[in-house]
């Protein structure tokens, strides 16, 4: 078990590098990874099950005790990102499949790795965890609705079918994780340190399958996809911070909201694209997002961590540090 915990810690620490290497290997040698495509939904369900195992009632405490930052953050999450995706798609004149895929990336909830990035950035970790949890639970309603509104002009969207998919892939695994955690707390407690390893492996396999299966599309449109994902992520980070600053939230809250808004659940985007769109290129923005978000996240976290904080912290960060690390 100690060996697995050490490997899990290593995998979490070098997650971005591992994802990049996986994507490069899958691109250069695609054949070993092509068979993984049929397991994407199952793998994402495993990641969400792990999230359910780590969820606690305290993760939702801020909704009651400090609702304003949570509400602002969630509004920014589901307003800034789909609007930014829509704007970037028009700005770059993306093909319909890529445009719909970028809007899909902008309509999914926040990614779980954002909690670790907020901790490293010396942001408000409890707010980050609460936003991730709440946006994930809101996803069955918000993601199909936003995709229908902003991407319906490029590709047909079956909002009801997508609602059911998110329930099956996200909500049911999380509920199962909560139930298992409640029924077997001691067993779950012993296994928490290896959950990051399982999540990292699942994301690596998902990325390898998408890259391997779209090698030709990446070769022809890779630069355009990267530029779209780069701009989308940058808009999310910038305007997420700007919105929190405009509403005079603390520095810690601004950092948390910025990172939460900018880092999406790319795995869910890949799974939904594969399940609901015939064109495989629809999954590419989310696949690229899974790589780039785990590069930009550490960069901005390192930048903020090195800057002095002139405002008093409103929350006790160390108390939630372990939870944030596990959530990765």
């Amino acid at each position: 078990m100690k060996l697995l915990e050490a490997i899990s810690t290593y995998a979490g620490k070098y997650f971005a590098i591992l994802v990049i290497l996986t994507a490069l290997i899958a691109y250069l040698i695609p054949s070993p990874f092509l068979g993984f495509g049929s397991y994407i939904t199952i793998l994402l369900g495993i990641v969400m099950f792990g999230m359910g195992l780590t969820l606690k009632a305290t993760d939702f405490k801020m909704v009651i005790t400090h609702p304003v930052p949570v509400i602002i953050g969630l509004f920014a999450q589901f307003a800034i990102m789909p609007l930014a995706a829509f704007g970037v798609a028009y700005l770059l004149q993306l093909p319909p499949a890529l445009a719909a895929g970028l809007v899909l990336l902008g309509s999914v909830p926040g990614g779980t790795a954002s909690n670790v990035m907020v901790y490293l950035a010396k942001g408000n970790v409890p707010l980050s965890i609460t936003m991730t949890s709440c946006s994930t639970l809101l996803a069955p309603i918000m993601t199909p609705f936003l995709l229908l509104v902003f991407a319906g002009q490029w590709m047909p969207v079956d909002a009801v079918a997508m609602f059911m998919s998110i329930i099956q892939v996200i909500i049911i695994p999380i509920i199962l994780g909560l139930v298992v955690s409640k029924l077997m707390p001691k067993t779950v407690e012993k296994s928490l340190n290896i959950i990051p390893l399982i999540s990292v492996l699942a994301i690596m396999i998902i990325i390898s399958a998408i890259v391997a299966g779209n090698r030709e599309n990446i070769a022809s449109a890779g630069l355009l996809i990267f530029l779209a994902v780069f701009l989308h992520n940058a808009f999310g980070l910038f305007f997420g911070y700007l919105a929190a600053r405009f509403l005079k939230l603390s520095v810690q809250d601004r950092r948390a909201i910025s990172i939460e808004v900018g880092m999406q659940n790319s795995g869910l985007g890949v799974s939904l694209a594969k399940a609901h769109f015939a064109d495989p290129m629809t999954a590419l923005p989310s696949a690229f997002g899974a790589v780039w978000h785990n590069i930009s996240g550490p960069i901005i976290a390192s930048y903020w961590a090195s800057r002095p904080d002139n405002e008093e912290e409103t929350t006790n960060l160390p108390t939630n540090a372990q939870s944030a690390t596990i959530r990765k």
Side-chain angles (χ1 to χ4, degrees), residues 62-63 66-73 249:
M62 285 196 68
V63 177
H66 297 88
V68 174
V70 178
I71 293 172
I72 292 172
L249 298 184

Side-chain angles (χ1 to χ4, degrees), residues 42-55 169-181 184 188 191-192 195 198-199:
I42 296 173
L43 290 167
L44 183 60
I46 292 172
V47 174
M48 292 299 103
F49 176 76
M51 179 180 179
L53 291 176
T54 64
L55 278 178
V169 177
I170 299 291
I171 304 302
I172 291 178
I174 288 177
I175 292 174
L176 289 175
L178 289 168
V179 171
V180 171
S181 180
M184 299 186 293
V188 171
S191 65
L192 285 180
I195 289 177
I198 296 173
S199 298

Side-chain angles (χ1 to χ4, degrees), residues 13-34:
K13 183 177 181 181
Y14 297 102
F15 180 49
I17 296 174
L18 291 172
V19 169
I20 295 171
L21 288 175
T22 299
L24 287 174
I25 293 172
Y27 181 80
L28 296 173
I29 314 173
S31 55
F33 305 98
L34 293 174

Side-chain angles (χ1 to χ4, degrees), residues 11-15 112-113 116-117 196 199-200 323-328:
K13 183 177 181 181
Y14 297 102
F15 180 49
T112 54
V116 180
M117 297 303 109
S199 298
V200 168
S323 175
T325 303
I326 290 172
R327 192 64 55 75
K328 186 175 182 180

